């Protein structure tokens, strides 16, 4: 087959991704709407929407904030030890990262860095929803009085068994579940002559969920007269306005986050974090 003929062939992953996004749109609209209402309420009340993910679930956390077209009101929480993927083997390798995200008790240590307000919301992203840290992150947030939204693949989660040391799945620890709609393997394409599927789909639906939430939250905040500044490119609003929006968004984020950072107590000393 010539290169031109090869280029004209259908792209199976794109077709599968379109089907996946259509399923997401058909089935997850009510859950996304409810989540947006909770998040908009938190931000309008001067609270925060905390975001957490391990592994590749760092991607939707960073997609929410900060980036162009985004606004403050969100607190992205990621741990480098569980999200650093470029060193596949050796120091900081994938084996260590996957081990760490399965360690019970670590989520409580992470949560202990923050003070949560009565209006705050927590969104936990995990495709499988089985690793100890995201499951216990949701559990610990609910114990602290936060409403918890899980963004997870229901089929993937139910295809595996919960860690017996943890005793539940992420979807069991959430007040609201948004389904990534991906299959148990995550990968979408089966090829002749290859026993294992390729081309994961959870990132595309996770990012679609995040941006659907972001836009709906913005609509609700505009209606309430509580919309924070949006980070916007200079090509759209000009250099001076773009810089002013950046500065205003970061200052607003810092103001909100200052409330969430607590004092650490240890060895009889008090230290600002």
């Amino acid at each position: 087959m010539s290169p031109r003929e090869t280029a004209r062939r259908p792209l199976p992953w794109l077709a599968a991704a379109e089907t996946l996004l259509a399923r997401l749109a058909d089935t997850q609209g009510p859950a996304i709407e409810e989540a947006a209402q909770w998040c908009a309420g938190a931000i309008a009340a001067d609270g925060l929407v905390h975001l957490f993910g391990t592994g590749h679930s760092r991607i939707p956390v960073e997609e929410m904030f900060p980036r162009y077209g985004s606004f403050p009101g969100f607190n992205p929480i990621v741990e480098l030890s569980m999200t650093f993927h470029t060193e596949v083997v050796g120091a900081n390798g994938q084996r260590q990262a996957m081990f760490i995200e399965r360690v019970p008790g670590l989520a409580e240590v992470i949560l202990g860095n923050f003070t949560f307000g009565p209006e705050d919301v927590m969104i936990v992203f995990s495709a499988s929803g089985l690793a100890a840290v995201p499951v216990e992150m949701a559990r610990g947030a609910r114990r602290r009085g936060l409403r918890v939204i899980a963004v997870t693949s229901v089929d993937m989660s139910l295809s595996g068994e919960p860690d017996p040391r943890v005793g539940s799945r992420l979807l069991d620890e959430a007040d609201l579940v948004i389904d990534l709609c991906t299959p148990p393997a995550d990968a979408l394409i089966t090829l002749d002559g290859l026993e294992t599927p390729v081309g994961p789909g959870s990132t595309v639906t996770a990012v679609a969920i995040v941006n659907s939430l972001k836009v709906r939250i913005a609509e609700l905040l505009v209606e309430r007269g509580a919309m924070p500044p949006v980070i916007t490119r200079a090509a759209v609003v000009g250099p001076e306005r773009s810089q002013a929006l950046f500065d205003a968004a970061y200052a607003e984020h810092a103001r909100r986050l200052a409330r969430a950072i607590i004092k650490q107590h240890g060895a009889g000393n008090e230290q600002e974090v």
Side-chain angles (χ1 to χ4, degrees), residues 31-67:
I32 291 172
E33 175 63 22
E34 186 168 8
Q37 293 283 349
W38 292 3
C39 295
I43 295 171
D46 210 30
L48 283 165
V49 178
H50 305 274
L51 313 164
F52 181 78
T54 65
H56 287 90
S57 290
R58 176 187 182 131
I59 296 169
V61 172
E62 293 187 351
E63 181 73 13
M64 184 66 90
F65 182 83
R67 62 167 305 168

Side-chain angles (χ1 to χ4, degrees), residues 88 103 174:
V88 179
V103 174

Side-chain angles (χ1 to χ4, degrees), residues 70-149:
S70 301
F71 49 90
F74 304 96
N75 176 28
I77 305 172
V78 294
E79 292 285 323
L80 188 60
S81 61
M82 293 179 282
T83 58
F84 183 61
H85 293 314
T86 58
E87 299 293 337
V88 179
V89 296
N92 302 301
Q94 281 294 99
R95 292 184 180 91
Q96 297 94 301
M98 294 176 69
F99 178 88
I100 291 167
E101 74 174 359
R102 295 169 181 163
V103 174
L106 178 55
E108 280 296 315
V109 177
I110 298 168
L111 285 164
N113 287 282
F114 301 98
T115 296
F116 299 99
E119 302 296 332
D120 288 3
V121 172
M122 172 73 75
I123 306 178
V124 180
F125 299 87
S126 173
S128 74
L130 296 173
V133 176
V135 174
E136 291 188 341
M137 196 76 175
R139 182 184 297 166
R142 287 180 85 191
R143 189 182 300 125
R144 289 163 171 82
L146 279 71
R147 286 183 291 186
V148 173
I149 301 162

Side-chain angles (χ1 to χ4, degrees), residues 159-184:
S159 71
E161 294 298 322
D163 186 329
R165 299 170 298 172
V166 178
S168 61
R169 299 174 172 87
L170 173 59
L171 56 83
D172 300 320
E173 301 291 346
D175 300 291
L176 178 65
V177 175
I178 302 176
D179 188 1
L180 291 164
C181 297
T182 45

Side-chain angles (χ1 to χ4, degrees), residues 181-205:
C181 297
T182 45
D186 198 349
L188 303 179
I189 304 301
T190 301
L191 300 175
D192 291 338
L194 182 64
E195 66 173 336
T196 51
V198 294
S202 58
T203 297
V204 70
T205 46

